[in-house]
Amino acid sequence: GLWAAYLDTVIEFSDPDGGRWRLRARAADESGAGVAPEFLRGDFVAWVITAWNPESELVTAERNAAAHEELLADLEAASLLALPAVGMSSDRKWSEDSLLVVGAAREWVLGVAAKYRQNAVFRWSPEAFEVVGALVPGQASRAWVCEPI
């Protein structure tokens, strides 16, 4: 279903020093502990949010770009660290410009997701890679792998 598809999303992002990382759910038969990039340190919570394609309906590149700029302004106004990210399907046929946001409160993130008509956001912590419903209720989680690229 929808949640399983969302959990197959691969997130590529840049860290504050310009290093590139790939975050994804760990396959059931894959071993190893999830090691997060150094800048996240300890007991972090990071969110991945986009303003693209409201309610998963494709819109023009111009509308997506304008919404992304507005989302960046919202994050700046809230003094949150927002790092460039791209969420993509494992086959790379679909992708959306996104932001990896560190240190935001759950209610704030879900409020912003609702503002941009997003079905869900991702929540990443040492424990799990989760899909958290915004417009669509529900959530699902898996173990994760984060690798330098």
Side-chain angles (χ1 to χ4, degrees):
L2 189 62
W3 298 119
Y6 283 149
L7 277 177
D8 284 336
T9 301
V10 175
I11 311 289
E12 292 187 354
F13 66 94
S14 299
D15 68 28
D17 298 320
R20 302 273 302 142
W21 299 85
R22 180 176 297 123
L23 170 66
R24 60 180 172 79
R26 190 162 69 218
D29 58 358
E30 219 176 338
S31 61
V35 178
E38 192 63 27
F39 78 94
L40 288 167
R41 303 195 203 301
D43 193 23
F44 69 92
V45 174
W47 299 87
V48 180
I49 185 166
T50 185
W52 277 36
N53 302 325
E55 297 177 50
S56 295
E57 296 291 324
L58 290 173
V59 300
T60 64
E62 292 78 14
R63 276 184 60 191
N64 278 334
H68 188 77
E69 289 303 312
E70 197 180 327
L71 174 58
L72 272 171
D74 288 346
L75 288 158
E76 201 170 302
S79 302
L80 289 164
L81 173 63
L83 298 164
V86 178
M88 63 189 84
S89 56
S90 50
D91 63 10
R92 303 284 196 271
K93 287 184 178 159
W94 161 91
S95 71
E96 293 184 345
D97 282 358
S98 305
L99 294 162
L100 181 89
V101 179
V102 182
R106 180 187 191 98
E107 295 71 30
W108 189 90
V109 171
L110 292 177
V112 166
K115 173 182 175 179
Y116 293 98
R117 309 296 301 155
Q118 296 299 310
N119 288 336
V121 295
F122 294 98
R123 181 183 186 272
W124 177 32
S125 69
E127 296 75 42
F129 179 56
E130 298 171 83
V131 180
V132 178
L135 296 183
V136 178
Q139 77 185 68
S141 68
R142 301 239 299 267
W144 54 268
V145 177
C146 187
E147 304 150 318
I149 50 176

